[in-house]
Amino acid sequence: DSGVTQTPKHLITATGQRVTLRCSPRSGDLSVYWYQQSLDQGLQFLIQYYNGEERAKGNILERFSAQQFPDLHSELNLSSLELGDSALYFCASSVGGGGRGSYNEQFFGPGTRLTVL
Amino acid sequence: DAKTTQPTSMDCAEGRAANLPCNHSTISGNEYVYWYRQIHSQGPQYIIHGLKNNETNEMASLIITEDRKSSTLILPHATLRDTAVYYCIVLTSGNTPLVFGKGTRLSVIA
């Protein structure tokens, strides 16, 4: 158990719908990362938040958005869903925010499996 | 971040050492070598990281060549539970987004 929790575990929805994935980081971790894993694209970084602020952005579609709340939990919102959005979505957390020389590892949650029909 | 090259797959007999190579010939002086693994559809798991010295922890050992252009992750006594995809990643900091390649699929065989 990494200490990172994600809900829900599974989500089945239809094209065009909107869903929200939730992540609670490990106690004391200030950074939250979202990753997407699909069969054809592998594991891809989407977005990082550090202490409530967006820190880095990856291959995140405009239909997707995220935020980190004052209690440090994070939500990933996916809208206008397409079949290709079906994937495993992982949240990870780490202590720091990316400064040079900070080499804390990232702890990953169990993921949310999204199926778009 | 520098790119890494890993073999697509490897087999290892249970109880033997698993040696997973990684090439990172364009690594910069301030970049670390990190290893993560992913056991079937679970969240990736951190294993070990190093800069230029060899490192060992309870899970594995990391051997980095003197020129830092390649490294080897060693699982000293592989078990069936070590069957996973292993990712070698080069980073300036552990708190930056991870860039995953295709990794090496290690199969530990009884």
Side-chain angles (χ1 to χ4, degrees):
Chain A
D1 183 3
S2 67
V4 178
T5 60
Q6 291 187 247
T7 55
K9 275 190 174 179
H10 302 276
L11 200 48
I12 301 175
T13 188
T15 54
Q17 295 299 303
R18 173 189 170 93
V19 297
T20 297
L21 313 183
R22 183 188 168 101
C23 168
S24 293
R26 287 190 328 149
S27 177
D29 284 359
L30 298 178
S31 266
V32 168
Y33 312 76
W34 287 97
Y35 295 87
Q36 179 194 56
Q37 185 171 33
S38 59
L39 279 174
D40 54 344
Q41 297 285 349
L43 266 163
Q44 287 201 304
F45 165 70
L46 295 178
I47 196 162
Q48 175 192 3
Y49 278 83
Y50 174 70
N51 205 19
E53 302 282 329
E54 184 183 301
R55 177 59 64 100
K57 218 167 187 175
N59 298 321
I60 188 166
L61 299 171
E62 282 192 18
R63 301 183 286 108
F64 296 1
S65 65
Q67 55 184 326
Q68 187 179 27
F69 294 86
D71 67 353
L72 300 177
H73 91 271
S74 177
E75 292 181 357
L76 179 67
N77 301 297
L78 316 177
S79 62
S80 303
L81 285 168
E82 302 174 0
L83 296 178
D85 297 327
S86 295
L88 266 170
Y89 290 84
F90 290 106
C91 167
S93 73
S94 68
V95 170
R100 283 183 182 273
S102 61
Y103 36 80
N104 306 102
E105 63 264 40
Q106 294 180 26
F107 294 85
F108 283 75
T112 293
R113 183 175 294 278
L114 173 66
T115 303
V116 182
L117 302 175
Chain B
D1 292 326
K3 285 189 174 180
T4 62
T5 305
Q6 299 177 252
T8 302
S9 63
M10 294 181 65
D11 291 338
C12 177
E14 188 178 21
R16 305 296 294 268
N19 297 284
L20 293 92
C22 178
N23 287 321
H24 32 77
S25 58
T26 59
I27 191 170
S28 301
N30 62 347
E31 288 181 315
Y32 290 76
V33 180
Y34 276 75
W35 284 83
Y36 282 78
R37 74 179 181 183
Q38 185 177 26
I39 298 170
H40 183 60
S41 294
Q42 295 179 21
Q45 177 190 24
Y46 165 83
I47 301 173
I48 198 168
H49 74 274
L51 183 62
K52 53 184 177 181
N53 298 322
N54 298 337
E55 302 287 344
T56 296
N57 64 18
E58 65 279 3
M59 286 184 69
S61 294
L62 175 60
I63 309 296
I64 302 174
T65 58
E66 197 166 335
D67 63 6
R68 302 207 329 120
K69 292 185 177 181
S70 65
S71 60
T72 301
L73 178 73
I74 301 171
L75 307 179
H77 306 285
T79 71
L80 298 178
R81 286 180 293 183
D82 293 321
T83 292
V85 178
Y86 287 76
Y87 297 97
C88 170
I89 302 170
V90 174
L91 293 169
T92 54
S93 161
N95 298 312
T96 53
L98 302 174
V99 179
F100 291 90
K102 295 192 187 311
T104 296
R105 183 172 298 277
L106 175 69
S107 298
V108 181
I109 303 163

